[in-house]
Amino acid sequence: EVQLVESGGGSVQTGGSLRLSCSTSGFTFDDYSIAWFRQAPGKEREAVSCIVIADSRTYYEDFAKGRFTISSDKAKNMVYLQMNSLNPEDTGVYYCAATYYSGSYDYPLYMEYDNWGQGTQVTVSS
């Protein structure tokens, strides 16, 4: 059974940083793409970033480029999202998601992710 557990959320002020963690189990880590999504109050869920575990390729939405960094630890089956220069627009619930990746999809961030964690709250105050 695929399990994803997020941690590391919290409350910070504008300009602050947070590091989110996603602990994974129940699947062959190297065969997957792991992504971070977020959902702000009253808004649709949106993609943030993903990493193809096999070769560590990373992808980011424009708002995350230069501020957020996704990484993985294959020894621990963990994925991280380092978030810097946070602003109130980054407030929301952040979800870790996973899907099998065969390598045939050009932009893994926009694949359908079929395994989800419960989310962790990030609140940025001005």
Side-chain angles (χ1 to χ4, degrees), residues 67-81:
R67 298 191 301 132
F68 296 180
T69 303
I70 192 170
S71 61
S72 67
D73 184 334
K74 292 185 179 183
K76 298 180 179 179
N77 286 3
M78 296 284 294
V79 172
Y80 307 97
L81 185 69

Side-chain angles (χ1 to χ4, degrees), residues 14-83:
T14 297
S17 298
L18 284 172
R19 187 195 194 205
L20 305 183
S21 299
C22 177
S23 175
T24 77
S25 62
F27 60 95
T28 303
F29 196 59
D30 274 5
D31 291 345
Y32 275 63
S33 175
I34 311 293
W36 287 96
F37 290 77
R38 70 183 187 182
Q39 187 166 20
K43 294 187 177 181
E44 295 286 319
R45 186 170 61 196
E46 62 180 348
V48 178
S49 178
C50 79
I51 183 166
V52 176
I53 300 302
D55 58 14
S56 298
R57 278 179 291 144
T58 58
Y59 300 82
Y60 298 90
E61 287 289 42
D62 285 346
F63 65 80
K65 291 177 181 177
R67 298 191 301 132
F68 296 180
T69 303
I70 192 170
S71 61
S72 67
D73 184 334
K74 292 185 179 183
K76 298 180 179 179
N77 286 3
M78 296 284 294
V79 172
Y80 307 97
L81 185 69
Q82 177 67 42
M83 304 188 297

Side-chain angles (χ1 to χ4, degrees), residues 102-122:
S102 65
S104 61
Y105 205 89
D106 288 340
Y107 208 77
L109 185 56
Y110 297 148
M111 292 191 300
E112 181 176 349
Y113 284 78
D114 47 8
N115 301 282
W116 294 81
Q118 294 299 306
T120 185
Q121 177 69 44
V122 171

